[in-house]
């Protein structure tokens, strides 16, 4: 493994792990705050128990996310120093603001965890809600920095120099809104489905039904909200990509030939050497319509661009297809649940419906990881699109493969620790927060 591949691999592994913690931090506090609100309005002790259970999960994942996020910030400077040298002064503002949001999130979480029966009840609730707001803001600011890499702005690039720097314009670049919107919606979808699937599993086991029913109904609201909005935010993001990075769009669709009335490809195996796609299903004119609103508009193919600027077509295309597949499945489950909610209420207690949510537990995060693969791999060979190549930014320091092995081992260890802690917490839930248990009130 050469140093360039090791550096890219280390960032890929780090991002793949951290994105899960980030998305949980963006959404889980809102579930917690919603449950807390229900407790304050109804005085139902089950909602209090649920809020406490979820808050412990938030605390575990927040601590781990803080570790992985800190590692990522060091990695950017260690692995890609030339990138940080030039890009740091330009897109440093969202990173600094993200740090502020992180500190607010940490303080608010501390207040919430230790503020039971100590603060005014509505101030205490507000602290929990603030954890979600600051977590969401933190995620959006990081995505804004990433969007700048896809749509660099806020400076003039003259003779290899970065002049007339405008940090505000850099932060609010052309890609920040579409990427932030799609990422936020995906986070709600993934986390909502994961939490709903977990509580659906316990409902199937027949454990503490009232507790898990309330938890499932809250989580499923957030999951459905994300799943239904995901195609809309995805359409906004895809149109933005088509305008700013047509080569990435072409790779996503394995679209080699420029044509009018371009077809949307479902599935297929791209052959970059032969510049063809095998076994795919084409829907005539749909790609042109999705990109431009006109079924006869022209969509550029990969052949219109220098081959050395092509991203890895197969990886980008497969990741895009995986994202669409799992997103579509979750949207279908959401529509089915809404149909049951309004027209077939007896379905809500059926095991087959709960089993669907159990099966779909990881789908949101699979789609999320695939979407980030599209974003990052589809930008290659550029680290700053159209300006600096990734190979030009990597550190000249040798032995990066050993850093890759070390950091991978650290992330695997963190994952095992999280699984152990969450598994123990989940096992304790039916006993610590069962309002039908006479010991419940003594455990509060």
């Amino acid at each position: 493994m050469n140093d360039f591949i090791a550096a890219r691999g280390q960032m890929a592994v780090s991002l793949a792990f951290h994105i899960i913690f980030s998305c949980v931090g963006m959404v889980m506090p809102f579930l917690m705050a919603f449950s807390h609100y229900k407790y304050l309005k109804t005085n139902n002790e089950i909602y209090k128990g649920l809020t406490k259970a979820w808050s412990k999960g938030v605390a575990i994942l927040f601590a781990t996310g803080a570790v992985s996020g800190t590692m990522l910030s060091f990695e950017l400077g260690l692995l890609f120093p030339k990138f940080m040298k030039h890009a740091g002064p330009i897109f440093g503002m969202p990173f600094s603001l993200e740090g502020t949001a992180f500190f607010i999130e940490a303080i608010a979480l501390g207040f919430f965890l230790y503020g039971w029966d100590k603060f005014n009840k509505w101030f205490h609730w507000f602290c929990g809600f603030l954890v979600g707001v600051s977590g969401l803001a933190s995620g959006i600011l990081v995505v804004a920095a990433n969007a700048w890499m896809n749509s660099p702005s806020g400076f003039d690039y003259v003779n290899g120099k970065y002049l007339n720097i405008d940090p505000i314009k850099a932060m609010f670049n052309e890609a920040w809104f579409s990427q932030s919107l799609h990422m936020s919606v995906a986070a709600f979808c993934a986390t909502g489905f994961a939490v709903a699937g977990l509580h659906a599993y316990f409902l199937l086991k027949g454990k503490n039904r009232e507790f898990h029913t309330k938890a499932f109904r809250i989580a499923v609201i957030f999951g459905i909200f994300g799943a239904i909005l995901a195609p809309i935010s995805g359409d906004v993001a895809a149109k933005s990509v088509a305008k700013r990075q047509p080569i990435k769009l072409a790779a996503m669709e394995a679209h080699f030939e420029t044509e009018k009335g371009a077809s949307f490809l479902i599935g297929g195996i791209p052959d970059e050497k032969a510049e063809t796609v095998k076994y795919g299903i084409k829907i005539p004119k749909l790609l042109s319509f999705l990109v431009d609103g006109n079924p006869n508009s022209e969509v550029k193919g990969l052949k219109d661009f220098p081959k050395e600027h092509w991203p890895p077509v197969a990886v980008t295309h497969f990741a895009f297809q995986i994202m669409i597949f799992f997103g579509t499945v979750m949207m279908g489950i959401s529509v089915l649940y809404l149909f049951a909610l309004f027209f077939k209420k007896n379905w809500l207690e059926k095991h087959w419906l709960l089993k669907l949510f159990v099966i779909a537990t990881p789908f949101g995060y699979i789609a999320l990881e695939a979407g980030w693969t599209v974003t990052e791999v589809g930008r290659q060979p550029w680290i700053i699109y159209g300006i600096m190549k990734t190979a030009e930014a990597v550190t000249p320091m040798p032995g990066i493969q050993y850093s890759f092995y070390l950091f991978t081992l650290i992330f695997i260890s963190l994952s095992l620790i999280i699984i152990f802690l969450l598994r123990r917490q989940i096992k304790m839930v039916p006993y610590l927060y069962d309002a039908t248990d006479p010991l419940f009130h003594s455990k509060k």
Side-chain angles (χ1 to χ4, degrees), residues 98-115:
E98 190 276 335
T100 303
F102 172 79
F103 283 122
I104 293 172
E105 184 181 7
I107 294 167
L109 181 59
F111 278 6
F112 185 80
L113 291 174
Y114 299 103

